């Protein structure tokens, strides 16, 4: 890459010629304020917060999209720049529901609030008409257009990254809004509830539908046996909500906190993940051996499942019939565990703590019930859990570690890496390899399916079988992979996760402000945490998890057997795109 | 059938003979051309005042009298004198009839067509003395203009490619393809000094050069026919009256930059322009002037129409291209500029209709001739759509450097009803107003900017003493608020807030601090908005504040509207000394706000008064006063 010389606030430096002013300024440790800019996702220069003076240009320019050129001189904090930014922010605030005291984003790094502080906006001089629009409350996602500042990050992530595209701009000028087509509710669109829109929203215009009150109600109901199960990705991110460094693994503190909240039992969804591997691995081997439908595609990610139902209804047979891990585990809790502990399953409340908003929708699917009872009663996101911990004043970083409760205890490392793209594939390979070759492989780290490459393809030799595997994360990549498969590309096994990076970047995870995420890929840091836990696990293969073995032995019979099918498998429904 | 160059020459020579009677009164009529041409304006203005009905009735009369071989009726584009439409022009007599109604057709036919006696009462302007002179020379409105871009408007049938060819149409294309290299074309345009007529005034040749320099196989030529300024209709008239000039220019542009595809983005609200463009493109294709191997010279170029849905912002170049791509019409930040990365991400040039209309003439007449017209930095002519409080509402083309006074008073015929000139607004919602003190400024791109206005696309709205300048600013803000795309906060919210402030000022609710807020907003919107629409939206406020600050102060401090326009500050009062207590005002008041009888003085209940002004209008004794 050629380099060009630019001068920023009097400091000259050489930067690659494809840099923007924003990037060049960062090189000299100037963090120009941004609002709409989200690296690789929303680079459109619409919010006008990052305005700078470029010598020779007539008006101020948006640093986030303005390309550098040789000899360019930039000034980032002249009075003209500072006034333009401030007036601009005042204008945004003048049409924003600024009741911050009652805003659930207030405690979580609201980017608008942070900017107002940064630019010393102490009053809004340009008050005027404010919009007052109804909220759209879905099973997973709530849209509050009165908080929306039209930065368009949600539109871009939904349309360009996820290729779901159920929200876009409607109307013009002051009446511009982000909305689903024809002002439908999101629930009536092909929205897959992935929550990526929430993750990118700088304010509280998008958030999950809160189920915190329902959880407290259950906890304080003496007749209920309330169980928390936590997905692997939660432990890699929960600490961020309490200002712990990104990637800090807080498994033990999380268990302690859940117990302090009053849950009767705290289990690890990784046990469910290990069950999933047993079932899905068996299913894969069956399909390969019996000439069944291939590729087998994973079904752990409920955003992906709904995406497939809407967009690839002709390929639903490729999906594994396995329920997702927390649903499997919920079914086991309400049957095996209930019976074993002599608890009426009707009195059990299973609360799944998930990095995911789509799991809320999933848990409410009518087909995910056992004997009329939902496998999982309530789904909390990582953010909701952090809010509960925060609300009652638990000093989370100071907590000691606790272990998951028996009888399930700690699960395998394979279950832990479920939280990252490639993790389900790797976990499955560890088991399938052992089952197919009938020996315990030592080399169990499948580097070829790890990492953040859009689509990872690998050919893995297992005995006589050269297993062709593909991994896609993010629905845009999933779409590409599915089109390739439809066009005839051959795979045995495909892993798809709806969220870019996998569950570590799920739509329910703690939010990271753009001024952090534009420069640091937090997904990498969170993922590292999971692989660290895997490496330190005593058991790293699902089929070696003793409690899983025990469940099969005492209750389910064989993996893929009829009892397992009754409890742990499901089916899918082709869906129209707009009702 | 595709035509060869020599076939085009034959068509030209033949048609020129047929049309000679329109330029030379002593010309010998040809058999096919007929002895008389009756040109009826088929532009939007005249069409809306029934000119097609006039044509229809003329046709019936001519046909029933068996004169159809002798007398040709020609539907033309706009003559420009819209205030006096519908317009009918008779050749070879050079007689122009104005304000013609279908009822007048019989008389024109019997008296003039059959017996050669002009209908005096319908003659245009100074011709009313009955003397038969060339209307286009004798009327100030025409004689003071210099029609380059409008050269064929009102002169030819825009739906007949042969008439265009007869007036040296497609001769520039032939010259370019046979004698010139692409870089020669660009050099010629550069040397001509032609600047973009859409508003920005960027040198056209330089723009072409940027695009030509891009090493890309795929490039595009676009035409901006999304004319949106209130009151502006220059581009519409060119497209309606002379579509081939734009098509020819675009082919030339394609050759110059190395593009083989063009798009004309025209607003769907211009149905006549769309229809004529469609016909013209079809005809050009038939003659092989569009398509593969144009004129046998191995150059390929195609052209398509794209209809805009009516968003003003789609006149902004990046928004226009986004819209052509089928997306929501919104601007995007530049750079990259369209010449580098434009339509579909490829190098693109985008020029305005009027700019293109100049191109063939420059190629034929030469850069030196063109650059001899106009001022030092603004060459050639400019078309203005003049409207508002002016007698000759219409379309005029004048050399750059003409003063506003000449345009308004000499060509435009001055202000109606003996009212005083107050200001002229140029540049539409992006421009500003020019006060009476600047009437003698020679108009060009730079002088208008210096005055705090801008050339814009050529809308020129004249205001008389009855105009409230705050109200005028409000009008333009309402327009930009309506037309903002909503992408950036300065425009989406800032201009809206400006409108709210100006509105409260016109409602008597303003305070002196509001003027300061307006200035802060205006300054920062100009500096921070994403596109030209937003950046210039505050101009009408800034320029009225610059020249008419006292009017703003009267509104916010005295709570008075000096022009008597802003209703909430208006009071109608009855002058007791002259009131004859006739009761007419009371009878006519729609709000029952007036009380009084023979014995009690008449008075107006200000709470009930809706300020409609009917009482003042009806009072025979001028006893109702407007207290501004």
């Amino acid at each position: 890459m050629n380099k060009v010389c630019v001068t920023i606030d009097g400091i000259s430096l050489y930067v690659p010629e494809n840099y923007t002013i924003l990037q060049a300024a960062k090189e000299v440790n100037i963090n120009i304020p941004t609002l709409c800019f989200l690296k690789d996702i929303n680079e459109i220069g619409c919010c006008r917060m990052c305005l700078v003076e470029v010598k020779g240009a007539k008006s101020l320019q948006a640093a986030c999209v303005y390309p550098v050129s040789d000899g360019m001189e930039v000034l980032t904090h002249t009075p003209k720049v500072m006034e333009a930014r401030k007036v601009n922010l005042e204008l945004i605030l003048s049409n924003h529901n600024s009741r911050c005291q009652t805003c659930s984003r207030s405690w979580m790094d609201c980017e608008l609030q942070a900017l107002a502080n940064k630019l010393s906006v102490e009053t809004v001089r340009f008050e005027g008409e404010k919009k007052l629009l109804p909220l759209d409350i879905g099973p997973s996602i709530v849209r509050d257009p009165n908080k929306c500042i039209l930065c368009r990050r949600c539109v871009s992530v939904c349309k360009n990254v996820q290729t779901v595209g159920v929200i876009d701009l409607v109307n013009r000028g002051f009446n511009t809004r982000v909305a689903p087509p024809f002002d439908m509710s999101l629930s009536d669109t092909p929205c897959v509830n992935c929550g990526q829109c929430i993750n990118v929203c700088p304010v509280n215009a998008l958030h999950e539908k809160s189920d915190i009150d329902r959880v407290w109600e259950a906890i304080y109901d003496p007749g209920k046996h309330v169980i928390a199960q936590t997905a692997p990705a939660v432990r890699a991110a929960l600490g961020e909500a309490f200002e712990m460094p990104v990637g800090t693994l807080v498994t033990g503190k999380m268990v302690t906190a859940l117990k302090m909240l009053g849950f009767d039992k705290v289990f690890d969804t990784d046990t469910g993940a290990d069950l999933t591997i047993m079932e899905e691995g068996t299913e894969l081997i069956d399909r390969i051996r019996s000439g069944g439908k291939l590729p087998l595609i994973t079904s752990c990610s409920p955003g992906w499942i709904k995406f497939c139902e809407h967009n690839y209804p002709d390929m639903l047979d490729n999906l594994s019939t396995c329920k997702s891990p927390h649903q499997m585990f919920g079914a086991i809790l309400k049957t095996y565990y209930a019976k074993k502990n002599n608890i009426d399953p009707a009195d059990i409340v299973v609360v799944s703590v998930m990095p995911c908003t789509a799991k809320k929708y999933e848990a409410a699917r009518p087909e995910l019930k056992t004997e009329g009872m939902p496998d999982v009663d309530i789904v909390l996101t990582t953010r909701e859990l952090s809010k509960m911990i925060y609300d009652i004043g638990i000093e989370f970083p100071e907590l000691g570690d606790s272990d998951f409760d028996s009888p399930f205890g700690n699960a395998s490392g394979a279950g832990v890496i479920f939280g990252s793209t490639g993790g389900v594939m790797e976990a499955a390979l560890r088991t399938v390899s052992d089952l197919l070759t009938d020996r315990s492989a030592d080399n169990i780290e499948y580097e070829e399916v790890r990492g953040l490459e859009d689509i990872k393809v690998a050919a893995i030799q297992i005995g006589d079988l050269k297993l062709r595997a593909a991994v896609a994360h993010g629905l845009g990549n999933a779409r590409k992979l599915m089109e390739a498969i439809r066009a005839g590309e051959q795979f045995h096994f495909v892993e798809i996760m709806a969220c870019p990076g996998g569950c570590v970047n799920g739509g329910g995870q703690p939010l990271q402000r753009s001024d952090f995420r534009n420069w640091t890929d937090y997904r990498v840091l969170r993922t590292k945490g999971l692989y660290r836990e895997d490496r330190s696990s005593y058991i790293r293969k699902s089929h070696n998890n003793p409690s899983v073995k025990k469940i099969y032995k005492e209750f389910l019979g064989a993996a893929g057997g009829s009892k397992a099918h009754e409890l742990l498998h499901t089916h899918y429904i082709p869906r129209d795109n707009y009702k | 059938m595709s035509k060869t160059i020599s076939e085009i020459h034959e068509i030209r020579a033949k048609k020129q003979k047929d049309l000679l009677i329109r330029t030379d009164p002593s010309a010998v009529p040809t058999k096919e051309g007929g002895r008389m041409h009756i040109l009826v304006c088929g532009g939007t203005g005249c069409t809306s005042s029934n000119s097609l009905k006039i044509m229809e009735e003329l046709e019936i009369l001519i046909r029933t009298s068996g004169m159809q071989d002798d007398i040709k009726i020609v539907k033309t584009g706009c003559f420009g004198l819209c205030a006096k439409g519908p317009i009918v022009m008779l050749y070879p007599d050079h007689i122009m009839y104005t304000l013609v109604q279908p009822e007048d057709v019989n008389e024109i036919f019997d008296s003039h067509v059959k017996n050669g006696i002009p209908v005096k009462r319908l003659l245009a302007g100074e011709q009313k003395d009955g003397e038969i002179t060339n209307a286009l020379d004798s009327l100030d409105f025409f004689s003071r203009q210099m029609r380059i871009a409008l050269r064929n408007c009102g002169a030819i049938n825009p739906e007949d490619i042969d008439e265009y060819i007869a007036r040296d149409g497609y001769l520039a294309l032939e010259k370019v393809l046979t004698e010139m290299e692409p870089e020669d074309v660009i050099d010629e345009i550069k040397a001509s000094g032609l600047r973009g007529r859409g508003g920005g005034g960027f040198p056209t040749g330089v723009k072409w050069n940027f695009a030509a320099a891009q090493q890309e196989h795929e490039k595009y030529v676009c035409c901006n026919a999304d004319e949106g300024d209130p009151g502006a209709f220059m581009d519409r008239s060119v497209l309606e009256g002379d579509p081939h000039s734009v098509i020819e220019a675009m082919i030339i542009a394609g050759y110059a930059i190395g593009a083989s595809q063009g798009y004309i983005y025209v607003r769907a609200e211009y149905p006549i322009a769309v229809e004529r463009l469609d016909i013209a493109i079809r005809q050009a294709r038939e003659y092989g002037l569009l398509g593969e191997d144009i004129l046998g010279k191995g150059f390929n170029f195609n052209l398509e129409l794209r209809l805009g849905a009516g968003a003003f912002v789609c006149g902004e170049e990046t928004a226009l291209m986004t819209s052509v791509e089928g997306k929501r019409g919104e601007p995007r930040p530049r750079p990259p500029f369209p010449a580098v990365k434009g339509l579909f991400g490829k190098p693109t040039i985008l020029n305005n209709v009027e700019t293109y209309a100049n191109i063939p003439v420059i190629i034929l007449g030469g850069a030196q001739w063109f650059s001899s017209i106009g001022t030092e930095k603004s060459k050639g002519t400019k078309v203005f759509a003049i409207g508002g409080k002016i007698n000759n509402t219409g379309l005029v083309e004048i050399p750059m450097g003409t003063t506003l006074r000449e345009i308004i008073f000499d060509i435009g015929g001055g202000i109606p009803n003996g009212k005083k000139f107050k200001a002229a607004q140029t540049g539409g919602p992006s421009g500003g107003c020019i006060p009476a003190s600047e009437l003698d400024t020679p108009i060009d791109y730079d002088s208008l900017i210096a005055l705090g206005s801008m050339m814009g696309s050529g809308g020129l709205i004249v205001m008389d003493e009855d105009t409230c300048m705050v109200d005028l600013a409000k009008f333009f803000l309402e327009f930009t608020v309506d037309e903002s795309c909503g992408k950036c906060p300065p425009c989406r919210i800032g201009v809206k807030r400006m409108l709210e402030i100006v509105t409260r000022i016109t409602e008597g609710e303003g305070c002196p601090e509001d003027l300061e807020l307006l200035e802060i907003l205006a300054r920062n919107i100009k500096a921070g908005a994403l596109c030209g629409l937003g950046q210039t939206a505050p101009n009408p406020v800034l320029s009225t504040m610059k020249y008419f600050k006292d009017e703003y102060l009267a509104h916010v401090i005295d709570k008075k509207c000096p022009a008597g326009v802003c209703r909430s500050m208006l009071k109608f009062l009855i002058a007791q000394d002259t009131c004859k207590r006739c009761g007419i005002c009371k009878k006519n008041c729609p709000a029952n706000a007036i009380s009084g009888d023979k014995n009690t003085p008449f008075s107006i209940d200000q709470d009930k008064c809706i300020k409609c002004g009917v009482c003042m209008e009806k009072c025979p004794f001028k006893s109702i006063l407007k207290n501004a």
Side-chain angles (χ1 to χ4, degrees), chain A residues 187-191 306 309-311 313 573-579:
Chain A
S187 345
D188 298 330
T189 69
C191 168
K306 188 156 183 275
E309 288 173 330
H310 283 293
N311 295 284
I573 306 144
R575 290 176 198 270
D576 289 337
N577 273 342
Y578 289 93
K579 275 182 200 165

Side-chain angles (χ1 to χ4, degrees), chain B residues 114-135:
Chain B
K114 276 166 76 177
N115 298 313
I117 305 164
V119 182
K120 279 192 182 179
R121 63 178 182 89
L122 295 173
L123 286 174
E126 291 102 273
Q127 284 196 317
K128 278 195 174 145
D129 59 5
E131 194 188 327
I132 297 176
T133 53
N134 185 335

Side-chain angles (χ1 to χ4, degrees), chain B residues 190-400:
Chain B
K190 267 192 191 163
S192 75
L194 177 67
R195 291 170 68 176
R197 299 292 194 244
F202 192 82
T204 307
V206 176
K207 191 189 269 187
W208 290 18
N209 199 30
F210 282 144
Q214 300 303 314
Q215 302 297 319
E216 282 252 20
H217 179 62
E218 207 180 326
K219 296 179 187 178
Y220 295 99
V221 171
C222 290
C223 173
N224 186 347
D226 192 54
E227 185 172 48
D229 286 3
F233 54 100
M234 298 76 55
D235 298 344
R236 187 189 75 205
S237 296
V238 172
L239 294 175
E240 288 175 355
D242 194 16
H244 283 287
S245 67
V246 175
I247 295 170
E248 183 181 4
M250 290 181 74
I251 308 169
I252 292 172
Y255 176 75
I257 70 158
S260 56
Q261 177 68 45
Y263 291 95
I264 301 177
Y265 187 86
V266 55
R267 15 184 354 191
E269 299 98 315
Y270 283 178
I272 299 176
V274 171
E275 192 194 336
R276 293 192 186 151
L277 273 171
D278 211 39
I279 293 169
I281 290 174
R282 221 166 43 230
Q283 291 174 343
R285 257 189 218 134
E286 274 167 27
Y287 276 20
L289 296 161
L290 280 174
E292 309 280 298
D293 192 21
I294 295 168
L295 293 173
K297 294 292 167 192
F299 174 63
N300 308 331
F301 191 78
N302 270 303
L303 204 50
E304 278 178 50
L305 291 185
R306 286 286 180 274
L307 302 197
F312 178 70
V313 72
C314 287
E316 196 277 343
E317 61 176 6
T318 58
L320 185 150
M321 287 183 288
T322 312
S323 179
V324 170
E325 289 169 5
K327 299 175 193 147
R328 179 182 162 99
E330 283 179 342
R332 59 155 180 82
R334 297 170 302 185
F337 289 94
V340 179
K341 228 176 167 185
L343 190 61
F344 304 114
K346 302 294 175 190
T348 304
I349 55 163
L350 176 71
N351 288 116
N352 156 275
V353 170
E354 192 188 329
T355 314
Y356 280 127
N358 278 293
I359 299 288
V361 196
I362 293 173
I363 297 290
L364 289 180
Q368 207 180 348
W369 159 75
F370 189 83
S371 62
S372 69
I373 306 161
T375 62
E376 192 196 338
K377 286 186 176 162
S378 304
K379 301 299 184 189
T381 58
K382 178 76 194 88
V383 182
F384 283 97
I386 50 179
K389 303 289 175 64
I390 189 154
N391 280 313
N392 294 339
T393 302
L395 210 61
V396 302
E397 182 171 359
I398 43 103
M400 297 276 189

Side-chain angles (χ1 to χ4, degrees), chain A residues 126-441:
Chain A
F126 316 106
E127 294 289 4
E129 186 187 331
K130 250 183 201 192
K131 57 194 160 195
L132 195 62
L133 298 161
L135 270 58
D136 176 13
I137 303 171
S140 293
I141 297 172
V142 178
R143 282 193 319 114
D144 180 353
N146 305 311
K147 295 276 183 193
C148 176
I149 54 164
L150 296 173
C151 70
R152 309 186 178 203
R153 290 180 185 179
C154 57
V155 173
S156 294
V157 83
C158 185
K159 184 158 61 176
N160 304 333
V161 178
Q162 297 295 64
T163 65
V164 171
V166 291
I167 41 173
D168 212 324
L169 297 142
V170 299
N171 297 336
R172 298 196 300 169
F174 191 73
N175 299 319
T176 308
R177 289 182 287 124
V178 171
F182 313 111
D183 270 325
M184 289 171 143
S185 166
L186 265 187
S187 345
D188 298 330
T189 69
C191 168
V192 302
N193 306 301
C194 71
Q196 285 303 310
C197 54
I198 299 175
N199 276 11
V200 300
C201 182
V203 289
N204 207 31
L206 286 155
H207 54 87
E208 67 274 67
K209 188 181 133 284
S210 173
D211 287 300
I212 292 177
D213 289 347
R214 286 176 64 207
V215 173
W216 281 124
E217 203 180 310
I219 287 175
Y220 280 96
D221 184 337
K224 297 291 183 195
H225 182 75
V226 189
I227 301 169
Q229 58 161 321
T230 65
V234 177
R235 68 203 62 175
L238 181 63
E240 292 168 31
F242 303 95
E243 289 172 17
M244 295 167 82
V246 178
T248 309
L249 215 51
V250 293
T251 319
K253 292 185 198 298
M254 173 181 73
V255 176
T256 307
L258 284 164
K259 289 184 176 172
M260 288 169 79
L261 288 173
F263 285 97
D264 296 302
K265 291 284 177 188
V266 181
F267 297 134
D268 192 348
T269 307
D270 296 6
T271 307
D274 286 336
L275 277 170
T276 301
I277 290 301
M278 295 305 293
E279 291 299 316
E280 209 163 80
T282 308
E283 189 180 5
L284 176 63
I285 292 167
D286 278 356
R287 288 199 194 196
I288 292 172
R289 282 186 177 151
S290 66
K293 187 97 176 171
L294 289 174
L296 177 71
I297 307 177
T298 59
S299 57
C300 307
S301 168
W304 151 241
I305 291 299
K306 188 156 183 275
F307 184 81
C308 190
E309 288 173 330
H310 283 293
N311 295 284
Y312 299 95
D314 54 322
M315 294 166 84
L316 294 179
D317 287 348
N318 287 88
L319 292 177
S320 160
T321 56
C322 288
K323 290 179 181 176
S324 73
H326 83 121
Q327 296 289 153
M328 282 196 181
F329 198 28
I332 292 295
L333 291 172
K334 290 201 176 175
T335 52
Y336 169 73
Y337 171 84
K339 204 169 154 191
K340 219 172 143 132
N341 292 283
N342 213 8
I343 306 169
D344 180 353
D347 289 334
I348 294 181
V349 178
V350 176
V351 178
S352 296
V353 182
M354 298 282 127
C356 184
T357 43
K359 295 276 183 202
K360 285 181 188 266
Y361 173 86
E362 180 192 36
R365 278 181 180 246
E367 62 272 24
L368 293 179
K369 284 182 178 174
T370 304
E371 288 168 14
M373 274 178 295
D375 296 335
V376 169
D377 298 280
I378 306 171
V379 173
L380 289 179
T381 61
T382 313
R383 286 189 298 269
E384 285 171 284
L385 173 61
S386 69
K387 186 71 170 64
M388 290 178 77
I389 294 170
Y390 175 85
D391 281 355
I392 60 167
I394 293 174
E395 294 174 335
F396 186 80
E398 309 305 320
L399 295 182
D401 289 347
S402 304
D403 285 332
F404 284 111
D405 285 317
S406 57
F408 302 109
N410 291 336
S412 77
V416 175
I417 58 172
F418 258 58
S420 169
T421 171
V424 176
M425 174 62 71
E426 183 167 341
L429 289 173
R430 290 179 188 176
T431 292
V432 168
S433 173
D434 282 10
L435 294 184
L436 277 177
T437 56
D438 211 16
R439 63 179 186 85
S440 180

